[in-house]
Amino acid sequence: MTGTVPAPFTADTYRARMDRAARAAAEVGLAGLLVAPGPDLVWLTGYAPPAVTERLTLLVLAPGRVPTLVVPTLEAPDAAKAAGAPVLTLSDWTDGTDPYAATAALLGAGGRFGISDNAWAMHLLGLQQAMPGTSYAALTEALPMLRAVKDGAELELMAAAGAAADAAFEEIRKVTFSGRRESEVAADLAELLRAFGHTQVDFTIVASGPNGANPHHEAGDRVIRHGDMVVLDFGGLRDGYGSDTSRTVHVGEPTDEERRVHDLVRAAQEAGFRAVRPGVACQEIDRAARAVITDAGYGEYFIHRTGHGIGVTTHEPPYMIEGEELPLVPGMCFSVEPGVYLPGRFGVRIEDIVAVTEGGGRRLNDTTREMVIVD
């Protein structure tokens, strides 16, 4: 992902985000935030470097200080074009100089800082050497809610991404499955996502027959056969915001057991969705969906969390898993995706992205959750 996040975001949007992030850092006892290239930097500034290299690029945020982007001189012109650049100070450094010393001068003598999870180890070690009195905390650990709550404009982009993924599903269900390789159907899915506005396709899982029992199966050369259950899980970024949906289809008529398992997962997915409301702990979504599957005797075959957050990346906090006690807040967006995976036989997963509203949950995926029969 390069360039900037598109309208409706303005310099004022990014100013407000950076101010909020700096205040949140202070509230948890951090001296500031150090944000490396990646989703946090894009969300805070609208800037994605044209290439991720060994040269240090780092946004420095601290309460009471003007946000400063430390950037290589050769990339400064691109950084200056970012939507958030008008409310930033650019501090560029040239090859042959020490970028860590330049960054240290912005931070002071010591303190504890939040740093992006995806920051390079070499950069963190360089900062530690330049500032031996400092310590660091992973950004998602220190501020797990930083990007979790979406504003109105973000929710509109999330809804549009979900609708685009739905449109891709409506088209893929029309294609021939039987006699084709999983990889061919996956290529069709990727093409459809792009046709409906996605600029980045992150995954197109097509898991047929026994491959469906592997939740993260990579579409391969297996030829899809009549009688196969096929798990479809696909998504990516549209206008900078993520989609992610799963539906399980069947090639020809299913057996009674296959239909029963599919109906069970559909009921679990509905229970997880119905549990969504402000103030409820994230783990309660997992508990609601998991209880349906466990009570039916399939608990050992539900082998992953019920959901994950989504926004400028397709997987981010919060997570719908036992032990996560963060309360749901209006504006949060996350998946609800229970599944049952029977080794060597088949799998079923049904997934929607759900936004928390004042009154409960709002699905951002609206395609049928009933069993779909394909050719």
Side-chain angles (χ1 to χ4, degrees):
M1 176 171 46
T2 61
T4 63
V5 175
F9 304 126
T10 65
D12 286 341
T13 302
Y14 294 113
R15 185 202 307 275
R17 290 178 180 177
M18 287 186 279
D19 286 348
R20 178 156 62 89
R23 289 196 305 272
E27 288 169 2
V28 297
L30 296 175
L33 301 179
L34 306 176
V35 185
D40 291 323
L41 185 64
V42 172
W43 185 80
L44 286 163
T45 69
Y47 177 57
V52 178
T53 72
E54 75 285 358
R55 292 184 174 94
L56 179 71
T57 295
L58 203 66
L59 174 67
V60 178
L61 295 178
R65 299 183 185 179
V66 176
T68 301
L69 183 64
V70 179
V71 62
T73 299
L74 76 169
E75 294 177 8
D78 291 310
K81 297 175 185 176
V87 295
L88 283 169
T89 293
L90 293 183
S91 175
D92 64 307
W93 61 275
T94 59
D95 288 350
T97 61
D98 185 350
Y100 306 113
T103 305
L106 301 171
L107 299 177
R112 183 169 178 79
F113 294 88
I115 190 166
S116 299
D117 296 28
N118 58 328
W120 285 26
M122 64 179 287
H123 296 324
L124 177 56
L125 292 170
L127 290 168
Q128 288 176 322
Q129 185 174 6
M131 299 178 295
T134 56
S135 60
Y136 301 87
L139 199 52
T140 54
E141 178 183 344
L143 297 176
M145 296 287 285
L146 180 62
R147 303 196 318 263
V149 179
K150 278 66 178 176
D151 63 22
E154 290 180 295
L155 288 171
E156 288 182 11
L157 292 172
M158 292 290 303
D166 283 356
F169 175 73
E170 295 293 359
E171 292 302 315
I172 201 67
R173 61 185 288 186
K174 300 174 185 176
V175 310
T176 298
F177 280 69
S178 182
R180 301 178 69 209
R181 292 183 177 87
E182 292 173 339
S183 57
E184 293 175 312
V185 178
D188 289 345
L189 262 176
E191 183 177 344
L192 285 167
L193 285 171
R194 294 187 182 98
F196 289 109
H198 282 66
T199 55
Q200 179 176 312
V201 176
D202 288 339
F203 48 88
T204 52
I205 293 173
V206 178
S208 63
N211 290 339
N214 177 0
H216 282 173
H217 171 70
E218 292 279 347
D221 289 335
R222 184 182 187 275
V223 175
I224 302 170
R225 303 169 185 169
H226 186 83
D228 279 347
M229 193 86 88
V230 185
V231 178
L232 305 175
D233 185 348
F234 50 97
L237 298 183
R238 182 185 186 277
D239 290 339
Y241 280 76
S243 69
D244 186 1
T245 188
S246 301
R247 294 292 186 264
T248 303
V249 302
H250 199 278
V251 185
E253 286 298 318
T255 66
D256 289 345
E257 181 190 24
E258 288 170 331
R259 189 173 290 280
R260 184 171 65 252
V261 172
H262 188 280
D263 287 346
L264 173 64
V265 173
R266 181 165 57 86
Q269 207 270 347
E270 179 70 16
F273 170 70
R274 293 296 176 190
V276 175
R277 60 185 183 276
V280 168
C282 291
Q283 66 182 0
E284 295 300 332
I285 311 307
D286 184 83
R287 288 174 176 177
R290 196 170 300 275
V292 174
I293 293 173
T294 299
D295 290 349
Y298 287 87
E300 66 182 294
Y301 303 112
F302 181 9
I303 56 177
H304 55 72
R305 64 197 175 202
T306 293
H308 58 82
I310 185 170
V312 294
T313 61
T314 49
H315 282 209
E316 62 185 42
Y319 299 103
M320 307 300 114
I321 185 63
E322 182 67 31
E324 180 51 82
E325 297 181 351
L326 277 173
L328 299 185
V329 176
M332 279 184 174
C333 295
F334 50 84
S335 66
V336 178
E337 51 175 310
V340 168
Y341 309 93
L342 303 178
R345 302 182 61 205
F346 65 89
V348 177
R349 182 165 64 257
I350 300 172
E351 174 186 15
D352 293 327
I353 299 303
V354 175
V356 183
T357 72
E358 294 289 350
R362 170 195 173 194
R363 295 186 194 268
L364 302 187
N365 296 104
D366 292 319
T367 55
T368 183
R369 293 161 203 92
E370 302 286 342
M371 175 80 78
V372 170
I373 308 301
V374 297
D375 291 332

